[in-house]
Amino acid sequence: MFGQGDNGRVYEFEGEDKLFKITTESEEYRVAEILANEFSKYTTFIPVYYVDGTNGYIMAKASELSSKQKVAIDQFIANYKNYAREQGGEVSIFDYLDADGARNNDERLVNFLRALQQDVRKINIPDLDLDLDFKTDNVMIWNGKMVMIDW
């Protein structure tokens, strides 16, 4: 096993740069179905090469963020949580980004989030923006770009 989280396990293919993920989250799998073989369309998500029709999919293997990138995401999330408390309701990271998050944040992160916002709109699943599991552990680097590896 390569790794595991609250809702699934990830296995590595020996000698390949691909991973096999089994998820218990139906919405996560639904997103993987949409992403399958569409990396040029959804550039802020890890490439998904294959979905098995039930709960597993094959995706590219990515590398860790730099410590500077991790700090930038952690700071953004802390500011977003403060914003959400102030708003007193359910708000997405994109609501915060549109309201105030583009100021005083890492430019590369802001550019990634703007592109992610567009990809989430294209995926067109209701409330995906609110349910998106945006956290430091779920963002990695693939082909030199930040990508969501879990959503």
Side-chain angles (χ1 to χ4, degrees), residues 8 28 91 95:
E28 177 185 348
V91 295
D95 294 328

Side-chain angles (χ1 to χ4, degrees), residues 1-145:
M1 183 171 358
F2 185 74
Q4 73 180 44
D6 294 336
N7 302 310
R9 292 186 298 277
V10 179
Y11 300 89
E12 188 172 15
F13 291 100
E14 191 173 323
E16 291 192 40
D17 65 346
K18 293 179 178 68
L19 302 171
F20 178 67
K21 181 167 186 181
I22 299 172
T23 182
T24 59
E25 282 280 322
S26 60
E27 187 164 294
E28 177 185 348
Y29 184 79
R30 188 170 163 210
V31 171
E33 286 180 307
I34 292 167
L35 297 176
N37 297 307
E38 295 283 354
F39 184 68
S40 61
K41 185 174 181 181
Y42 303 105
T43 60
T44 59
F45 289 88
I46 193 75
V48 174
Y49 301 113
Y50 172 80
V51 291
D52 70 359
T54 57
N55 65 346
Y57 56 94
I58 296 173
M59 62 184 178
K61 187 176 179 182
S63 13
E64 285 203 32
L65 297 169
S66 70
S67 57
K68 182 181 177 184
Q69 291 166 320
K70 288 178 183 180
V71 167
I73 292 173
D74 288 340
Q75 184 62 52
F76 178 88
I77 291 169
N79 293 338
Y80 157 70
K81 286 179 180 179
N82 288 334
Y83 172 79
R85 276 191 290 279
E86 290 169 5
Q87 295 304 305
E90 200 170 36
V91 295
S92 75
I93 59 168
F94 306 122
D95 294 328
Y96 167 62
L97 183 67
D98 291 341
D100 192 46
R103 290 188 303 142
N104 303 321
N105 278 294
D106 179 87
E107 183 179 352
R108 183 174 180 191
L109 175 60
V110 170
N111 290 339
F112 167 70
L113 289 167
R114 289 283 181 216
L116 180 62
Q117 184 176 27
Q118 294 303 313
D119 281 353
V120 166
R121 284 183 184 143
K122 283 188 275 186
I123 289 173
N124 198 27
I125 292 178
D127 294 331
L128 179 59
D129 61 332
L130 296 170
D131 297 331
L132 193 65
D133 194 11
F134 184 76
K135 61 184 182 181
T136 308
D137 292 345
N138 291 343
V139 180
M140 295 184 84
I141 301 294
W142 185 79
N143 272 3
K145 295 193 288 186

